[in-house]
Amino acid sequence: MKKIVLIALAAAGAIVAKKKFDQSRAEQATWAAVTDPVAKP
């Protein structure tokens, strides 16, 4: 029983960590697009 609970907690932790990572990556992409230098021809 304890093993099942530990596995469930580990899976939940992994899901939360992945969501935070994806959110951070999306925010980084947004800032990169906004702050890109404008190339003058």
Side-chain angles (χ1 to χ4, degrees):
M1 182 67 175
K2 288 182 183 179
K3 286 183 183 179
I4 294 172
V5 172
L6 288 175
I7 291 171
L9 286 174
I15 291 170
V16 170
K18 181 170 179 358
K19 284 185 179 183
K20 285 191 176 195
F21 176 76
D22 290 343
Q23 182 182 13
S24 173
R25 195 170 191 180
E27 187 174 347
Q28 262 185 338
T30 300
W31 277 108
V34 172
T35 59
D36 276 346
V38 177
K40 295 183 180 179

